[in-house]
Amino acid sequence: MNEHTSKKFDAELEGIRTRVLQMGGMVELQIVKAMEGLSDGDLLLIDQVIENDNRVNLLEIELDEACNQVIAKRQPTAVDLRMVSTVQKTITDLERIGDEAKRIARIGERLVAEEGDLDVMALLAELGAATRGMLRGAL
């Protein structure tokens, strides 16, 4: 990142960047728990995913507001504006991924109740691991 004359501006941008990575880690953990809950039939993990979805949603709102504040107060240009714009798009995508993890957890609840096919669950676990790797690479 470029250094600005205002150290506070640099700190704001770094704070946003750090929180996006934290959100990404939270979403990654949601995927892991959803897939483990699904493959192991662990209703506790599945419930944690469903409950934690609100935390991901709130973090998206907080980060979007922080980005809007930076735009309004600092009027960033060039590289900084692109970074803030990219963050806003990224947090939207992360929130959607979190929603999908919640959806997987809900499906897991049904499969556990129905004692679903273990072969299908094993295949889904592989897909979850691949998804996690793609998310980590993107972050």
Side-chain angles (χ1 to χ4, degrees):
M1 236 178 355
N2 296 336
E3 193 168 308
H4 300 97
T5 54
S6 169
K7 298 288 184 193
K8 186 167 178 162
F9 186 30
D10 286 335
E12 288 172 4
L13 293 176
E14 186 58 31
I16 288 171
R17 182 183 165 284
T18 299
R19 290 174 62 199
V20 168
L21 293 175
Q22 288 172 339
M23 183 180 182
M26 187 183 301
V27 169
E28 181 181 357
L29 187 58
Q30 287 284 91
I31 292 169
V32 168
K33 285 183 176 183
M35 297 310 299
E36 283 181 8
L38 179 65
S39 65
D40 297 346
D42 187 335
L43 289 175
L44 180 63
L45 282 177
I46 289 170
D47 289 341
Q48 286 176 5
V49 171
I50 294 167
E51 290 173 20
N52 287 336
D53 183 59
N54 288 333
R55 290 178 54 209
V56 172
N57 295 344
L58 288 174
L59 194 50
E60 180 205 13
I61 293 167
E62 290 171 10
L63 279 165
D64 190 54
E65 181 61 29
C67 289
N68 289 334
Q69 288 293 320
V70 165
I71 291 169
K73 290 188 328 187
R74 303 291 183 177
Q75 299 177 356
T77 58
V79 172
D80 297 326
L81 182 58
R82 284 191 294 273
M83 192 279 281
V84 172
S85 180
T86 299
V87 163
Q88 288 182 305
K89 290 178 182 183
T90 300
I91 60 174
T92 299
D93 290 341
L94 287 173
E95 191 276 332
R96 287 179 184 158
I97 294 168
D99 287 345
E100 291 303 316
K102 179 181 172 183
R103 198 164 146 229
I104 290 167
R106 293 236 187 254
I107 291 168
E109 282 180 320
R110 286 195 308 265
L111 289 176
V112 168
E114 297 169 5
E115 296 182 16
D117 184 355
L118 294 178
D119 291 335
V120 171
M121 289 186 189
L123 181 59
L124 289 174
E126 288 179 37
L127 290 173
T131 301
R132 180 179 177 202
M134 288 187 280
L135 175 60
R136 184 172 283 176
L139 290 171

